[in-house]
Amino acid sequence: MDRIDSSLVALRQILRATEIAGRELAQQAGLTSVQFRALQMVGETGQTTAKAIATRMHVSQATVTALVDRLVTRECVVREKSLEDRRQTHIVITEFGRQTIENAPDPLQQRFVRRFKDLEDWEQAMLVASLERVASMLDAEDLPAGAVLTTGELSRS
Amino acid sequence: MDRIDSSLVALRQILRATEIAGRELAQQAGLTSVQFRALQMVGETGQTTAKAIATRMHVSQATVTALVDRLVTRECVVREKSLEDRRQTHIVITEFGRQTIENAPDPLQQRFVRRFKDLEDWEQAMLVASLERVASMLDAEDLPAGAVLTTGELSRS
DNA sequence: CGTGATAGTTTGAAAGTCAAAGTTTAGGAG
DNA sequence: CTCCTAAACTTTGACTTTCAAACTATCACG
């Protein structure tokens, strides 16, 4: 069955393109991709907790501590003790951090969106249906996923 | 335009599922995902050169040297000076390395393939067309990509 | 035989990652 | 009110990935 190969190859290409774009994106922003991903999360709401980042990135809290240390050094975020629950630390994005995100264009996503808009109506519908189908075939459909196209690194879980 | 969001979300889910599966896969094999990827490449043909791995993984040769060092330590591969061109070193997979690959099932890919086979003919055709379409929209269609579903980490390029 | 390009290794440094142990705070049982 | 457990975080120590730059060994060509 050759279609299986075709589909796997296409899927792999999509993954690779995203991976490479992620590198460039982060590099352009002067951060590593991991740092950039974390910063994006903070940026979504303006502030979060270390725990939330750890959970979303599937990484330990210790890792997040180290990661946030670096974002603090780069003045993209600041730590603020929570007043409600003093065990928590709010990670708050700085103006500089916000600009870093904004000034980092995502050529990959832009390209995709631009081309998607150019498609015929039925084509758009087909693509959405297909992508959702594939996601469900990977048992991915219930994973939380913001509408942001950024790959992350790997390592143990 | 809501379809754009839907498509990006689905795409992101696919990426995440792959990412997570990659971690588990490598972990099960007792290697890191980077090591596993490299081992897979060696396994494809039984042997390669450091340069080839570096090129395919988009990392520097120095990185590959370090990586291969670990695969050698774990007895998954051995280094052999090339006889034709003595500058080259062939990275050759060992029996143990081969077993490591074989014993590491890829649940994600298997799941996908299994479900893909269950689809109606027209659905398969649609999925392939859609995936290839998306790949081309990401300018990914000319990237070399084996028919293997594994994500890689990131970092600078 | 030089001389420049190629393939790899070494070295030193930054970053991501975790487990395990430690700190501080919250919240409930008594 | 006190004590104990759980939760949120940090610290420490160790490993891996990654690179740039410097170095070694070889090839290939004039």
Side-chain angles (χ1 to χ4, degrees):
Chain A
M1 175 58 72
D2 217 310
R3 275 181 183 150
I4 290 182
D5 271 3
S6 300
S7 62
L8 288 176
V9 168
L11 214 37
R12 181 80 186 100
Q13 285 174 341
I14 292 170
L15 298 175
R16 292 245 306 145
T18 314
E19 182 184 323
I20 291 168
R23 293 188 200 191
E24 286 170 0
L25 168 71
Q27 196 171 22
Q28 211 172 6
L31 300 171
T32 67
S33 55
V34 173
Q35 287 167 7
F36 191 83
R37 262 210 302 164
L39 185 57
Q40 271 187 322
M41 288 181 193
V42 181
E44 278 173 24
T45 53
Q47 67 170 53
T48 359
T49 63
K51 182 60 182 283
I53 295 179
T55 305
R56 285 188 55 180
M57 290 182 68
H58 291 273
V59 121
S60 73
Q61 286 209 147
T63 300
V64 173
T65 297
L67 183 48
V68 171
D69 281 348
R70 280 168 211 123
L71 287 177
V72 168
T73 301
R74 283 171 178 63
E75 303 187 356
C76 289
V77 303
V78 292
R79 283 190 171 95
E80 276 176 17
K81 272 279 183 200
S82 167
L83 298 177
E84 313 90 64
D85 182 340
R86 296 182 48 73
R87 289 171 304 181
Q88 289 188 350
T89 303
H90 290 313
I91 318 288
V92 184
I93 194 164
T94 62
E95 183 49 35
F96 180 73
R98 204 172 283 288
Q99 283 179 14
T100 299
I101 294 179
E102 277 167 17
N103 295 341
D106 187 344
L108 181 76
Q109 182 165 338
Q110 281 174 8
R111 212 181 316 162
F112 181 79
V113 169
R114 192 168 358 103
R115 294 182 180 175
F116 190 89
K117 283 181 181 160
D118 286 344
L119 298 177
E120 298 288 339
D121 192 72
W122 67 269
E123 269 182 308
Q124 291 186 358
M126 182 179 90
L127 281 199
V128 170
S130 296
L131 286 175
E132 286 176 348
R133 188 66 187 254
V134 170
S136 80
M137 287 168 72
L138 297 173
D139 276 340
E141 74 279 10
D142 48 354
L143 291 175
V148 180
L149 214 51
T150 341
T151 321
E153 70 318 306
L154 303 186
S155 266
R156 63 211 81 276
S157 65
Chain B
M1 175 57 75
D2 218 312
R3 276 181 183 150
I4 289 183
D5 269 5
S6 300
S7 61
L8 288 175
V9 168
L11 214 35
R12 181 80 187 102
Q13 285 174 342
I14 293 170
L15 297 174
R16 290 246 307 149
T18 314
E19 184 185 321
I20 292 168
R23 293 188 200 193
E24 286 169 1
L25 166 70
Q27 195 170 25
Q28 210 172 5
L31 300 173
T32 67
S33 55
V34 172
Q35 288 167 4
F36 191 83
R37 262 209 303 163
L39 184 58
Q40 270 187 323
M41 289 182 192
V42 181
E44 278 172 22
T45 54
Q47 66 171 51
T48 0
T49 62
K51 182 60 182 280
I53 295 178
T55 304
R56 284 188 56 180
M57 292 182 66
H58 290 272
V59 298
S60 70
Q61 286 208 147
T63 300
V64 174
T65 296
L67 183 48
V68 171
D69 282 348
R70 279 170 211 118
L71 287 178
V72 169
T73 302
R74 284 170 178 65
E75 301 186 359
C76 290
V77 303
V78 292
R79 282 191 172 96
E80 277 175 17
K81 271 280 182 200
S82 166
L83 297 179
E84 314 89 62
D85 182 341
R86 296 180 49 73
R87 289 171 304 184
Q88 289 187 352
T89 304
H90 290 313
I91 318 288
V92 184
I93 195 164
T94 63
E95 183 47 37
F96 180 72
R98 205 173 283 289
Q99 283 178 15
T100 299
I101 293 179
E102 276 166 17
N103 295 340
D106 185 344
L108 181 76
Q109 182 165 338
Q110 283 176 6
R111 211 182 312 160
F112 181 80
V113 170
R114 192 169 357 101
R115 294 183 181 173
F116 190 89
K117 283 180 180 159
D118 286 344
L119 298 178
E120 298 289 339
D121 192 72
W122 67 270
E123 267 183 311
Q124 291 186 357
M126 182 179 90
L127 281 200
V128 170
S130 296
L131 287 175
E132 287 177 347
R133 189 66 188 254
V134 170
S136 79
M137 288 168 71
L138 297 174
D139 275 342
E141 76 275 14
D142 48 355
L143 291 175
V148 179
L149 214 51
T150 343
T151 321
E153 71 317 303
L154 303 189
S155 270
R156 65 211 80 277
S157 64

